[in-house]
C-alpha cells in the first residue's frame, strides 16, 4: 500500500464527508431549532437531484442545474413546512416520524409520476470532468475536488450566517429558548420556514452535486439520510460545528475502514474470507464509532445538555 | 376438499360458458415502486404485451407491487394463493424475494414461472417440479463473462460485486469459467453509491481488466465515476448494468463496454422483431432484457394453455416443460431442473443516434446449462 493510495483514499473520505455535511447541516438545524425529526430530508435531496437533471437536460448548463436544485429544494421545503410540518412542532416525535415518513412516500411516488421509474441522466460538465494531477503525483478527479471546495465554502458561509448575522442570532436564540424569542417579537413562524427552506436547499444542492457522479433515481435519498442522522448524533444535535466534524469523521471512517479492514484481515486469514468479513465489518464501522462517541459524550461531540 | 375442488371447477367451467370469468388466473408479484421499480415495470410491460397480443379473455392477470420487500411479497403471495386462488404465479425480480415466496407457493400446488431471479438453491437442492425459470440461473451471465475474458486474453482481472448472496453467486460464476489470475476481489456494500475507494484500489492493483456485477443504480454510479477517474482498463459486466433502462442514465461512460446477455434486440428471429417493434409502439421506449424475459414468460404460459388445462397439473407441467413457443431468444429449451439451456451472447454498448443501446458481437457460451442441475432430484 503506497502513500499515494492512502492520500487518495483520505481525499475520498473528505469528499464523502463534505457531501454528508451538506445533508447533515440542514437536518441538525431543523432538529436543533424546531425540535423536529424530519425523515423527509432525504426526499428533498432527491428533489434537488431531479431538478438538476431536468434543467441540465433542457439547457445543458450545469450551473443553471445547481441553481435549479437549490431553488426547487428550497421551494419544496418551504411548501412542506407551511402545509404539513408547521402542524407537527407541538406533537411528540412519534407523530413527526409518522408524518414525515408519509412525506417520503408522497415525494417518491410523486417523482415517479412526473419523471417515470427509470434513472435520469446527469453528468459532470466538460470543464470539470477527468482527473487532475496533484502535487505528489496523485491523480484525482477534478469534480470531486470541486465538491470538497463547494462543501467547505458552504460550511464557512453557514458559520458566518449563524455567528455574524441577525438571522443567525435569531436561530441561535430559537435553539436556546423558543418562547422567549417569540415574546421578544421575532416572527417565529417566518423564522422556522426560513430555516427549513435553508436546510432543504442544502440537501438539494448535495443531491445535485452527487447526482452527477451517481444515479439520479427515486429513493436515492434514504440511504444518505441514515448516514446524516449518524452524523448529527455524533456531532451533537443542533450544532453546525458538530455536523462538520461528525460528517468528516464518518466520511473518513467509512472510506478508510472499507479499504483497510479487508487488508488487515488478509494478513491473518485466507483472501476470500478476509474480503467478505472485512467488508461486513467495515459497513458496521460508523455505527461502532457512533456507539463509542455516545459512550464518552452522551450528547455528541459538540452537543449542549439537551 | 375434493368436493370443494370439483365444485370450484364446475363453477369455473360454467363461468367460462357464460364468458363472464377467466378460468386461468395468473398472479404477478413484482417491484413497481422504490429504487428497483424500473426492472419490475419492464417485466410487467413485456408480460402484458404478450397477454394482450394473444387476445384471450379466459386469462386474467392480477398484478401487485412487492416494493422490493420480502415480507410484503410473502403477504401478497399468501393472499393471491388463498383468496384469489391463482393457478400460476410469476413476476419476482430479486433472488431474496424469490427465496421467500417460491418454495411455499410451489408446495401449495401453484405453478411458479420466474421471469428474472434464479437463485442457485432453487436450481439445485430445492428445485421443484412446479418451478420453472424462464430467464437464467443467477450464475449464467457471469459464467459467460468469464468465458469471454479468456477469449479476449484477459489475464489479471479485478472483480467486484455487492456483499449479498447474488453478488457472491456472480463472482463464483465468473471464476468458474475464467482461467486468469485475480488482481483483487472486493465485496462492496449493497446499495453503495460511491466507488471512489474501490476505483483507487483498481488503479493501484496492476489489473488488466475490471469485472463488476453492480445491478441498477449501483452500476450507474460505478461507471460514471470510473469514466471520470481516468482509469482506462477495459470493463466487462453482465447485462444487468447495461440494460436499456439504465444506459441512458450512464451516457457515454458505457460506450464500448462488453457485457453478457441471453437476449438482445438485434437477435435475428421473427418473434424478436415482432416483440421489439410492438414494445416500442406500445410503450414508446426500447425493450430491456427484463422486458424480453416477461414477454417470453407470458408466451410460454400461453403455449402451455393451448395444449392443456392448468387444472390438469401433469399435462400442463409437461406442456411447460416442452416449451413449444416462439422465444425472442430463438432456440429455447428447459434442462432437467426446469432451467433454461440457452446461448449467452457478448454484447457491446453502442450509440444509435442519441440513444445508447447494445449490439451482439459474439456468442459467449452455446447451449449453456447451469451448474446446479445435477443436485436437483425431482
Amino acid at each position: 500500500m503506497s502513500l499515494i493510495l492512502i492520500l487518495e483514499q483520505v481525499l475520498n473520505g473528505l469528499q464523502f464527508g463534505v457531501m454528508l455535511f451538506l445533508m447533515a447541516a440542514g437536518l441538525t438545524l431543523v432538529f436543533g431549532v424546531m425540535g423536529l425529526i424530519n425523515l423527509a430530508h432525504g426526499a428533498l435531496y432527491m428533489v434537488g437531484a431531479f431538478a438538476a437533471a431536468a434543467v441540465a437536460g433542457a439547457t445543458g448548463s450545469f450551473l443553471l442545474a445547481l441553481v435549479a436544485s437549490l431553488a426547487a429544494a428550497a421551494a419544496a421545503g418551504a411548501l412542506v413546512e407551511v402545509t404539513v410540518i408547521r402542524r407537527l412542532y407541538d406533537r411528540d416525535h412519534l407523530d413527526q416520524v409518522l408524518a414525515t415518513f408519509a412525506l417520503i412516500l408522497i415525494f417518491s411516488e410523486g417523482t415517479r409520476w412526473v419523471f417515470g421509474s427509470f434513472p435520469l441522466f446527469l453528468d459532470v460538465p466538460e470543464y470539470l470532468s477527468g482527473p487532475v494531477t496533484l502535487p505528489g503525483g496523485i491523480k484525482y478527479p477534478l469534480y470531486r475536488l470541486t465538491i470538497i471546495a463547494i462543501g467547505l465554502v458552504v460550511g464557512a458561509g453557514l458559520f458566518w450566517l449563524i455567528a455574524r448575522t441577525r438571522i443567525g442570532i435569531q436561530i441561535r436564540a430559537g435553539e436556546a429558548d423558543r418562547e422567549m424569542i417569540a415574546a421578544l417579537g421575532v416572527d417565529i413562524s417566518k423564522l422556522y420556514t426560513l430555516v427549513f427552506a435553508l436546510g432543504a436547499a442544502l440537501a438539494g444542492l448535495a443531491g445535485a452535486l452527487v447526482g452527477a457522479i451517481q444515479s439520479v433515481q427515486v429513493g436515492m435519498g434514504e440511504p444518505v439520510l441514515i448516514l446524516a442522522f449518524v452524523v448529527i448524533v455524533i456531532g451533537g444535535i443542533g450544532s453546525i460545528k458538530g455536523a462538520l466534524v461528525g460528517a468528516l469523521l464518518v466520511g473518513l471512517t467509512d472510506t478508510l475502514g472499507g479499504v483497510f479492514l479487508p487488508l488487515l484481515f488478509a494478513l491473518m486469514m485466507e483472501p476470500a474470507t478476509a474480503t467478505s468479513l472485512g467488508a461486513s465489518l467495515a459497513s458496521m464501522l460508523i455505527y461502532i464509532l457512533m456507539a463509542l462517541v455516545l459512550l464518552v459524550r452522551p450528547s455528541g461531540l459538540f452537543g449542549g445538555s439537551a | 376438499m375434493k368436493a370443494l375442488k370439483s365444485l370450484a371447477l364446475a363453477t369455473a367451467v360454467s363461468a367460462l360458458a357464460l364468458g363472464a370469468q377467466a378460468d386461468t388466473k395468473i398472479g404477478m408479484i413484482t417491484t413497481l415502486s422504490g429504487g428497483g421499480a424500473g426492472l419490475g415495470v419492464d417485466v410487467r410491460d413485456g408480460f402484458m404485451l404478450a397477454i394482450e397480443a394473444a387476445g384471450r379473455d379466459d386469462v386474467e392477470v392480477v398484478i401487485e407491487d412487492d416494493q422490493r420487500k420480502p415480507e410484503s411479497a410473502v403477504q401478497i403471495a399468501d393472499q393471491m394463493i388463498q383468496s384469489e386462488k391463482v393457478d400460476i404465479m410469476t413476476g419476482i425480480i430479486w433472488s431474496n424475494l424469490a427465496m421467500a415466496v417460491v418454495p411455499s407457493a410451489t408446495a401449495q400446488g401453484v405453478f411458479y414461472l420466474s421471469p428474472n431471479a434464479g437463485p442457485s438453491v432453487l436450481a439445485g437442492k430445492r428445485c421443484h417440479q412446479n418451478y420453472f425459470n424462464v430467464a437464467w440461473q443467477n450464475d449464467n451471465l457471469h459464467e459467460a463473462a468469464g468465458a469471454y475474458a479468456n477469449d479476449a486474453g484477459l489475464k489479471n482481472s479485478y472483480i467486484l460485486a455487492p456483499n449479498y448472496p447474488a453478488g457472491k453467486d456472480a463472482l463464483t460464476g465468473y471464476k468458474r469459467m475464467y482461467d486468469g489470475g485475480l488482481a483483487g476481489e472486493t465485496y462492496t456494500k449493497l446499495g453503495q453509491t460511491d466507488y471512489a475507494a474501490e476505483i483507487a484500489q483498481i488503479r493501484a492493483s496492476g489489473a488488466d481488466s475490471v469485472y463488476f456485477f453492480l445491478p441498477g443504480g449501483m452500476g450507474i454510479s460505478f461507471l460514471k465515476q470510473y469514466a471520470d477517474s481516468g482509469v482506462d482498463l477495459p470493463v466487462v459486466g453482465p447485462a444487468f448494468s447495461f440494460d436499456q433502462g439504465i444506459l441512458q442514465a450512464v451516457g457515454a461512460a458505457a460506450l464500448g463496454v462488453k457485457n453478457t446477455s441471453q437476449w438482445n434486440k438485434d437477435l435475428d428471429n421473427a418473434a424478436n422483431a415482432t416483440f421489439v417493434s410492438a414494445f416500442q409502439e406500445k410503450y414508446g421506449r426500447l425493450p430491456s432484457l427484463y422486458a424480453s424475459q416477461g414477454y417470453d414468460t407470458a408466451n410460454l404460459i400461453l403455449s402451455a394453455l393451448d395444449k392443456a388445462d392448468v387444472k390438469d397439473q401433469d399435462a400442463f407441467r409437461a406442456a411447460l416443460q416442452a416449451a413449444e413457443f416462439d422465444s425472442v431468444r430463438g432456440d429455447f429449451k428447459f434442462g432437467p431442473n426446469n432451467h433454461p439451456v440457452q446461448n449467452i451472447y457478448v454484447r457491446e454498448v453502442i450509440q444509435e443516434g442519441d440513444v445508447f443501446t447494445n449490439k451482439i458481437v459474439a456468442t459467449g457460451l452455446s447451449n449453456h446449462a447451469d451448474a446446479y442441475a445435477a443436485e436437483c432430484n425431482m
Side-chain angles (χ1 to χ4, degrees):
Chain A
M1 169 111 341
S2 66
L3 185 66
I4 287 186
L5 185 57
I6 296 175
L7 284 177
E8 185 173 350
Q9 301 293 19
V10 169
L11 278 177
N12 286 333
L14 272 181
Q15 182 262 315
F16 185 40
V18 157
M19 196 277 300
L20 281 178
F21 167 68
L22 289 180
M23 273 297 275
L27 205 58
T28 202
L29 271 183
V30 167
F31 198 107
V33 178
M34 311 170 199
L36 176 93
I37 298 184
N38 180 21
L39 293 187
H41 205 65
L44 298 164
Y45 170 88
M46 176 185 74
V47 166
F50 272 85
V55 169
T59 66
S61 160
F62 189 69
L63 273 182
L64 276 183
L66 286 189
V67 173
S69 73
L70 282 169
L79 182 74
V80 162
E81 200 275 341
V82 171
T83 50
V84 180
I85 305 287
R86 186 165 286 188
R87 288 158 230 286
L88 299 171
Y89 295 135
D90 299 332
R91 305 287 198 97
D92 66 20
H93 286 326
L94 189 61
D95 290 357
Q96 299 174 349
V97 165
L98 264 179
T100 52
F101 184 71
L103 284 174
I104 295 183
L105 301 180
I106 292 169
F107 269 109
S108 290
E109 292 317 299
T111 312
R112 185 192 317 290
W113 189 59
V114 177
F115 291 100
S117 308
F118 297 96
L120 293 195
F121 177 73
L122 175 66
D123 203 4
V124 175
E126 199 64 41
Y127 49 87
L128 289 178
S129 69
V132 288
T133 308
L134 299 180
I138 306 171
K139 276 178 111 184
Y140 199 72
L142 178 59
Y143 187 76
R144 287 182 187 271
L145 285 179
T146 316
I147 293 186
I148 297 180
I150 293 179
L152 294 180
V153 168
V154 168
L158 269 183
F159 280 118
W160 173 79
L161 182 84
I162 302 278
R164 296 259 183 265
T165 63
R166 188 157 193 87
I167 298 241
I169 294 172
Q170 290 176 353
I171 291 175
R172 277 182 290 143
E175 261 178 78
D177 195 333
R178 231 165 296 186
E179 285 81 12
M180 187 53 90
I181 73 156
L184 287 172
V186 174
D187 185 346
I188 197 95
S189 71
K190 205 155 86 190
L191 179 70
Y192 280 10
T193 311
L194 194 76
V195 170
F196 199 85
L198 175 69
L202 291 178
L205 177 67
L209 283 174
V210 160
I213 49 170
Q214 294 182 3
S215 101
V216 179
Q217 61 180 2
V218 173
M220 64 188 282
E222 275 64 60
V224 194
L225 178 77
I226 295 169
L227 292 178
F229 269 113
V230 173
V231 166
I232 68 170
V233 169
I234 288 179
I237 286 162
S239 162
I240 292 286
K241 198 202 286 178
L244 182 60
V245 173
L248 294 181
L249 263 180
V250 168
L252 286 170
T253 310
D254 192 55
T255 306
L256 298 180
V259 176
F260 292 112
L261 271 183
L263 291 178
L264 185 69
F265 283 121
L267 299 177
M268 296 178 274
M269 52 187 85
E270 55 173 313
T273 337
T275 43
S276 135
L277 191 66
S280 308
L281 194 63
S283 54
M284 288 188 264
L285 213 54
I286 54 167
Y287 303 101
I288 297 174
L289 172 73
M290 177 168 80
L292 288 179
V293 168
L294 290 185
L295 264 181
V296 183
R297 296 187 66 107
S299 56
L301 292 176
F302 295 92
S305 45
Chain B
M1 192 59 215
K2 206 166 191 177
L4 197 69
K5 249 189 189 159
S6 42
L7 189 68
L9 198 64
T11 333
V13 170
S14 58
L16 182 68
L18 293 170
Q21 202 189 338
D23 70 347
T24 302
K25 211 165 190 182
I26 304 172
M28 172 180 276
I29 306 175
T30 195
T31 306
L32 300 173
S33 64
L39 287 67
V41 169
D42 269 357
V43 163
R44 177 196 67 190
D45 289 353
F47 190 90
M48 292 314 291
L49 184 69
I51 295 286
E52 283 161 26
R56 297 175 63 137
D57 54 6
D58 59 340
V59 177
E60 184 189 348
V61 184
V62 190
I63 303 173
E64 293 281 351
D65 175 19
D66 60 32
Q67 304 167 322
R68 200 177 176 168
K69 292 182 186 136
E71 64 275 16
S72 54
V74 168
Q75 222 170 46
I76 297 166
D78 285 345
Q79 190 248 339
M80 280 184 171
I81 295 169
Q82 279 153 25
S83 54
E84 299 263 4
K85 309 266 184 239
V86 297
D87 308 294
I88 304 167
M89 288 175 67
T90 183
I92 294 177
I93 302 293
W94 311 98
S95 291
N96 52 339
L97 275 67
M99 287 304 300
V101 168
V102 172
S104 95
T106 48
Q108 292 176 73
V110 173
F111 285 98
Y112 185 89
L113 282 82
S114 176
N116 198 59
S120 49
V121 182
L122 294 183
K125 288 197 188 78
R126 295 179 65 189
C127 64
H128 192 280
Q129 56 178 3
N130 281 1
Y131 170 73
F132 290 80
N133 189 307
V134 193
W136 23 253
Q137 195 280 316
N138 277 355
D139 302 12
N140 290 165
L141 301 195
H142 310 289
E143 291 165 346
Y148 165 77
N150 295 336
D151 292 347
L154 304 178
K155 298 261 181 294
N156 199 20
S157 290
Y158 193 103
I159 59 178
L160 72 161
N163 193 17
Y164 83 122
K168 289 177 185 164
D169 277 0
L171 297 191
T172 311
Y174 183 77
K175 288 188 281 186
R176 186 176 292 136
M177 293 291 174
Y178 170 64
D179 299 326
L182 292 180
E185 179 173 359
T186 299
Y187 288 105
T188 60
K189 267 173 281 187
L190 187 60
Q192 183 172 327
T193 49
D194 200 304
Y195 294 93
E198 287 76 11
I199 291 169
Q201 281 175 292
I202 291 170
R203 193 202 306 271
S205 70
D208 68 353
S209 58
V210 178
Y211 181 74
F212 74 98
F213 164 62
L214 296 167
M218 292 183 276
I220 300 179
S221 303
F222 177 80
L223 275 173
K224 280 160 95 174
Q225 293 162 23
Y226 186 78
D228 198 38
S229 71
V231 182
D232 52 5
L233 304 173
V235 172
V236 183
F240 314 116
S241 302
F242 305 92
D243 86 75
Q244 206 57 49
I246 64 175
L247 273 183
Q248 314 317 316
V250 180
L255 272 181
V257 173
K258 302 287 194 301
N259 63 97
T260 49
S261 176
Q262 83 288 2
W263 173 87
N264 194 43
K265 73 175 171 54
D266 63 358
L267 271 182
D268 189 17
N269 65 66
N272 196 35
T274 315
F275 163 63
V276 173
S277 68
F279 191 93
Q280 264 187 295
E281 187 176 332
K282 177 136 199 256
Y283 302 108
R285 63 176 196 273
L286 284 170
S288 68
L289 85 157
Y290 307 110
S292 82
Q293 291 159 192
Y295 188 81
D296 268 358
T297 306
N299 278 327
L300 171 64
I301 294 175
L302 292 167
S303 77
L305 283 176
D306 282 339
K307 292 199 230 164
D309 186 354
V310 68
K311 305 289 191 283
D312 180 358
Q313 290 224 337
D314 290 332
F316 186 73
R317 186 180 307 120
L320 283 176
Q321 167 85 120
E324 282 165 3
F325 70 107
D326 293 327
S327 167
V328 294
R329 285 168 246 182
D331 291 339
F332 180 96
K333 64 173 193 280
F334 283 118
N337 58 344
N338 294 347
H339 280 59
V341 177
Q342 61 189 346
N343 290 349
I344 298 172
Y345 304 96
V346 179
R347 316 187 296 183
E348 182 180 336
V349 180
I350 55 161
Q351 190 168 13
E352 283 177 356
D354 46 2
V355 177
F356 294 95
T357 185
N358 286 286
K359 75 162 194 235
I360 291 181
V361 292
T363 304
L365 292 169
S366 298
N367 284 322
H368 184 59
D370 62 271
Y372 303 95
E375 293 170 23
C376 165
N377 298 308
M378 280 201 257

